[in-house]
Amino acid sequence: GSKFLLNPIKYAADNGADIVSNSYGGYYSIQAEQDVINYVAALGALFVASSWNEDSDSSHYPSDYDNVLSVAATDESDRRAGFSNFGEKVDVAAPGVNILFTSKGNKYRSASGTSMATPYVAGLIGLLLSKNPQLSIEEVENIIKNGADYFGVDIPATDKYIGKGRINAFKSFSFSKSPTFIRGDANSDGQVDLSDAIYILNWLFLGEQGPECWDRADANDDGVLDISDPVYILLFLFKGQNPIPTPYPDAGLDTTADGLNCWNDKILLK
């Protein structure tokens, strides 16, 4: 039955939809369906899909296709809901147990399922894009994944049961507000060169003016601003080692959750 949804999905993307939220599926892949999802992604829209409700790691589509943000369900204890499918294709989770929804007769009802979890993720995408419409789908995905809270006890994060964890709108929204910058450009002159390494060294050891944006000066993106950063820049410039992590060479958002940003009260020093 999913083949009958392909034209409406394509229509939505053609007419400017940024998010395509889906709570349907089956256990067989269809190349035409993957092609439409790729088409949607090429237009800059995010395809979100429920992972399904059979407590299984069997393949499920569309959630297992490429270019899909797959959503599992969690319960009131932030554990994977017992019915939720899981597997390596799951990206994040959201609440999916006893979720209220509007019903006939001007009433509310509650239901459970990954279909109840998926709209939370779609809503978070909409919130992020409403505040920063310039975000790419890759940036939105990274922001949501890095903003997620992981509560697993048996398996470390990047867990096959709930992906990166249960989404956290506040944390993701905080990441999305960060200014854009070029990593390694400590002196904010628009390029990475020897002057940036000297700038950091003068600040660390001579007490001269520090960087306006610490995340920009964190050349190796390890979440700490210290001697390793000018050394990293020098090795990159003169030894051809270790390419500088994004955002580089063009300005962009840092979508990694490392505690540093462009506000001075978040600095971590060693």
Side-chain angles (χ1 to χ4, degrees):
S2 62
K3 65 181 180 180
F4 297 108
L5 296 172
L6 301 187
N7 284 337
I9 290 169
K10 185 175 180 293
Y11 177 87
D14 284 338
N15 286 273
D18 295 311
I19 309 153
V20 183
S21 183
N22 303 270
S23 295
Y24 73 91
Y27 292 100
Y28 298 96
S29 64
I30 302 171
Q31 185 58 48
E33 193 171 25
Q34 177 69 81
D35 292 342
V36 167
I37 292 170
N38 293 343
Y39 178 83
V40 166
L43 291 180
L46 255 170
F47 192 101
V48 188
S50 60
S51 66
W52 218 236
N53 308 308
E54 295 190 351
D55 185 23
S56 169
D57 63 353
S58 298
S59 296
H60 173 265
Y61 300 93
S63 59
D64 279 14
Y65 287 125
D66 294 334
N67 293 318
V68 173
L69 193 63
S70 176
V71 183
T74 52
D75 61 17
E76 298 90 336
S77 300
D78 277 322
R79 301 290 183 90
R80 180 179 69 90
F83 55 78
S84 178
N85 278 19
F86 54 91
E88 294 181 358
K89 288 287 189 175
V90 170
D91 294 299
V92 291
V97 175
N98 296 325
I99 306 300
L100 286 175
F101 66 97
T102 55
S103 184
K104 293 180 179 179
N106 198 29
K107 295 180 180 180
Y108 286 96
R109 294 174 56 195
S110 66
S112 300
T114 55
S115 294
M116 309 306 289
T118 301
Y120 279 105
V121 178
L124 177 53
I125 295 168
L127 177 65
L128 294 171
L129 291 175
S130 72
K131 290 299 182 181
N132 193 339
Q134 304 305 315
L135 288 171
S136 69
I137 59 175
E138 292 82 7
E139 288 171 331
V140 170
E141 276 200 52
N142 287 334
I143 287 169
I144 290 175
K145 291 176 182 178
N146 286 307
D149 291 324
Y150 181 78
F151 296 99
V153 292
D154 301 319
I155 302 175
T158 359
D159 155 17
K160 71 175 182 176
Y161 294 107
I162 59 171
K164 290 290 188 179
R166 193 257 298 129
I167 60 170
N168 182 320
F170 179 79
K171 284 169 61 178
S172 293
F173 189 66
S174 297
F175 295 149
S176 74
K177 295 191 299 182
S178 299
T180 61
F181 61 88
I182 297 174
R183 190 176 303 286
D185 180 23
N187 60 7
S188 305
D189 66 355
Q191 58 187 351
V192 178
D193 56 22
L194 179 60
S195 67
D196 296 298
I198 294 172
Y199 188 94
I200 299 173
L201 291 169
N202 286 342
W203 174 62
L204 287 173
F205 299 107
L206 299 181
E208 296 188 8
Q209 179 179 341
E212 298 174 355
C213 168
W214 276 304
D215 211 356
R216 178 188 289 126
D218 183 22
N220 56 9
D221 194 22
D222 65 352
V224 179
L225 189 52
D226 58 14
I227 186 62
S228 69
D229 296 298
V231 171
Y232 193 95
I233 291 173
L234 293 171
L235 290 174
F236 167 70
L237 291 173
F238 300 109
K239 292 291 186 179
Q241 297 181 12
N242 301 324
I244 293 178
T246 55
Y248 178 87
D250 298 316
L253 284 169
D254 179 18
T255 56
T256 57
D258 58 15
L260 289 185
N261 55 34
C262 291
W263 289 275
N264 293 0
D265 61 349
K266 296 276 183 87
I267 182 76
L268 302 175
L269 289 174
K270 282 185 178 179

